Amino acid sequence: MKLLARVGLVLGRDLVLGTIMDRIAAVHGPRRMAQEEDGRVITYPDAADRVGRLADGIAGRISAGDRVVVAVPNGVDFLLVCLAAVRAGGVAVPVNSQMRDDEVDHVIADSGATLVVRNPADVMGKVKAPPVPAKPGDVAAIFYTSGTTGAPKGARLTHRALLGQVAGGAAWPARLRRDEAVIGLPIAHIMGFAVLLGLAVAGIPVYMLRKFHPVAALDAIESRRATIFVGVPAMFRMMLEAGAEGRDLRSVRLWGAGADAMPEDVARRFKAMGASVTLPLVGVSLGQAAFAEGYGMVELGGGVAAKLSPPYLPIGMGESVGVALPPNRMKVVGDDGQQVRPGETGELLVKGPGVLEGYHGDAAATGRVLDDDGWLRTGDLARRGAFGLVLFAGRSKDVIKHGGYSVFAVEVERVLEEHPDVAEAAVLGLVDRDKGEVPVAVVRRRPGSDLQADDVLAWARQRLADYKCPRQVRVVDELARTGTDKVQKAELRPLFG
């Protein structure tokens, strides 16, 4: 099928989740969509048929608009059950199967779910059900936030929000070269959902790890000669600690990251491990890999900005958020709501088709993040840079007000992570009677290191202004994390009494 015809088939203006897999199967035919660790192979027609039969089983249990909590184990079936719930006329509500029972119960109660699917076999029908008619502007899914600062809230996302960023993948030259991606992301989270669906649209087969483990990921890349790996920054750190630089990863042409800020030095090291091309027959690899990083969040339906660091070029890394993906727009505003001047720090606002319709059942929370013109307050701090670039400065809740100074946690974390024995740092503010707040840090030591708190404090004092230096440091072997491997800072506070 010619490229323009393929793109037109997927990029139709009536694109909705209930029919997307049928369209993908029509474009890519009987090719492999994914393989899982147990050897199971799913082709595109297999996936389309499975979505239809799952929809048949779900349709008899719900009415139009009912919420369907999807709590099946992580894997390709997670995506297919979500698509089936929408095809049956429901609204998919993904939850991570690794969540605690009380967390899942909160989502079930808050969403008012009619049906909870924990095993695809329980709702598998006998025939392929036709899709219930839907419009791109209808709510298709409710994704719950990770709840790092309180009870999770359900972001109501439309078909347009969830498909707008992935449909363009149909233009990928899937039949002109061999590609395979390795991923171990939780599909219950917006990044994993968007990545798996986007790779399917692009026709790039996936090797799916049900649960990320750095050695398993490195083994898969090396043995399968994978050309793409997509993960969150914590996964890249773990692969480095597991000996990534001693592996043969030259098959990788593209590394991809999202969900959190990617340290520049980590991205640079992975670029050097990959290659631009491997010559046939002789097996010689040349060049470096590229590194792509996306910026987004649940409330934006996934990624709304991206940056690319090509081989050998020291650009597209570091603190830049990237370039807004059309038709998304970004601006940085101060407390007065006006755009800040270049170099000044303010809050990043985003407007585009991926912005949530609102939080489910919480008009007050919706009003706090959405203004009357449809701009979303991201809660991220940013600076306006040259040429319209936006530079990330940290989360607004991670600004520590210390004696009249603003201490940006992300800046202190970057300095601490330059210490050779610090694998990762988390900086937070503790209430202080005299100063308002004081910065403290929890650092994860590198395996085999005997790093002590005094070592970290001495390092910080040599490199940071006094008001930015942590007043206390705790050294740990593991950090509490969310389902997408972000550090849960609220869980670290008890370490300081």
Side-chain angles (χ1 to χ4, degrees):
M1 188 182 296
K2 293 183 178 180
L3 177 61
L4 289 179
R6 286 170 46 205
V7 173
L9 186 60
V10 175
L11 289 180
R13 298 183 68 179
D14 59 342
L15 191 63
V16 292
L17 283 179
T19 58
I20 184 65
M21 195 52 69
D22 288 339
R23 295 195 181 199
I24 294 172
V27 168
H28 297 302
R31 301 169 64 210
R32 175 170 58 92
M33 173 184 165
Q35 180 177 338
E36 298 184 325
E37 289 176 280
D38 61 3
R40 177 192 178 210
V41 173
I42 304 102
T43 66
Y44 290 104
D46 290 339
D49 179 70
R50 195 164 176 81
V51 168
R53 291 193 296 125
L54 287 164
D56 180 52
I58 292 172
R61 295 170 168 85
I62 67 169
S63 299
D66 282 356
R67 273 73 66 197
V68 179
V69 168
V70 180
V72 304
N74 194 44
V76 177
D77 269 345
F78 196 106
L79 173 66
L80 303 186
V81 174
C82 288
L83 300 183
V86 179
R87 186 182 181 94
V91 175
V93 184
V95 297
N96 193 327
S97 60
Q98 301 299 313
M99 288 168 61
R100 301 189 310 267
D101 289 344
D102 63 307
E103 294 175 308
V104 176
D105 290 344
H106 166 78
V107 172
I108 294 171
D110 188 75
S111 66
T114 300
L115 176 65
V116 179
V117 181
R118 300 183 186 275
N119 186 339
D122 294 341
V123 293
M124 182 64 71
K126 296 181 179 181
V127 299
K128 184 175 181 179
V132 172
K135 299 176 182 178
D138 293 341
V139 172
I142 302 174
F143 277 80
Y144 276 74
T145 61
S146 56
T148 56
T149 59
K153 298 185 292 292
R156 293 169 58 85
L157 301 174
T158 65
H159 296 269
R160 185 181 294 114
L162 291 166
L163 290 171
Q165 64 175 301
V166 303
W172 185 269
R175 303 191 185 188
L176 299 182
R177 68 184 202 183
R178 176 198 169 272
D179 273 310
E180 182 178 72
V182 171
I183 65 172
L185 295 162
I187 309 306
H189 292 264
I190 193 67
M191 179 181 173
F193 186 94
V195 167
L196 182 55
L197 186 55
L199 290 169
V201 169
I204 299 172
V206 169
Y207 184 76
M208 180 81 206
L209 302 170
R210 286 187 177 271
K211 183 175 176 58
F212 176 81
H213 187 280
V215 174
L218 293 169
D219 287 346
I221 296 169
E222 192 170 26
S223 64
R224 301 180 68 84
R225 309 310 298 156
T227 60
I228 300 169
F229 174 83
V230 184
V232 300
M235 294 177 179
F236 286 89
R237 293 177 189 270
M238 287 187 271
M239 289 194 294
L240 279 177
E241 293 168 15
E245 289 171 310
R247 297 294 199 104
D248 180 4
L249 307 181
R250 292 173 295 170
S251 62
V252 177
R253 293 196 291 265
L254 177 66
W255 303 99
D260 209 349
M262 187 73 193
E264 183 175 351
D265 66 310
V266 175
R268 186 168 55 249
R269 290 165 73 177
F270 273 93
K271 284 180 65 175
M273 292 180 225
S276 304
V277 65
T278 298
L279 301 178
L281 301 179
V282 295
V284 176
S285 298
L286 303 174
Q288 289 187 336
F291 203 106
E293 189 175 351
Y295 170 83
M297 57 181 56
V298 173
E299 290 86 350
L300 295 170
V304 295
K307 56 186 178 182
L308 177 69
S309 181
Y312 289 116
L313 295 179
I315 60 174
M317 296 183 291
E319 59 184 356
S320 168
V321 169
V323 177
L325 300 172
N328 295 289
R329 290 185 287 160
M330 300 188 297
K331 64 180 180 179
V332 182
V333 303
D335 293 338
D336 58 0
Q338 300 301 308
Q339 291 206 58
V340 301
R341 291 178 296 183
E344 292 184 348
T345 298
E347 183 178 8
L348 176 62
L349 273 60
V350 177
K351 186 175 184 179
V355 171
L356 81 167
E357 183 201 69
Y359 289 118
H360 185 74
D362 196 338
T366 301
R368 287 193 292 271
V369 299
L370 276 180
D371 71 16
D372 293 338
D373 294 325
W375 287 92
L376 177 84
R377 299 174 63 92
T378 66
D380 284 338
L381 296 173
R383 295 192 306 278
R384 287 181 59 193
F387 310 109
L389 287 177
V390 174
L391 307 178
F392 181 70
R395 294 288 293 167
S396 59
K397 65 177 181 294
D398 284 341
V399 178
I400 301 158
K401 299 297 185 180
H402 179 211
Y405 293 99
S406 292
V407 178
F408 296 96
V410 66
E411 177 189 358
V412 181
E413 288 164 357
R414 286 172 181 156
V415 170
L416 299 185
E417 288 169 357
E418 291 172 358
H419 190 290
D421 290 332
V422 172
E424 194 171 3
V427 173
L428 53 154
L430 292 185
V431 175
D432 181 80
R433 184 181 60 185
D434 298 323
K435 298 291 186 179
E437 287 183 298
V438 293
V440 297
V442 181
V443 301
R444 179 168 64 85
R445 60 163 67 92
R446 294 194 183 279
S449 162
D450 62 353
L451 182 71
Q452 301 297 313
D454 287 345
D455 301 329
V456 180
L457 289 169
W459 178 271
R461 288 167 184 151
Q462 293 174 6
R463 292 163 175 81
L464 291 167
D466 178 70
Y467 71 91
K468 297 180 183 180
C469 284
R471 290 329 192 233
Q472 300 180 57
V473 171
R474 300 289 184 267
V475 179
V476 299
D477 293 317
E478 295 294 339
L479 291 167
R481 299 184 184 278
T482 67
T484 49
D485 286 317
K486 291 183 180 179
V487 175
Q488 287 186 302
K489 291 189 176 181
E491 300 295 321
L492 303 179
R493 291 189 181 278
L495 294 176
F496 298 94

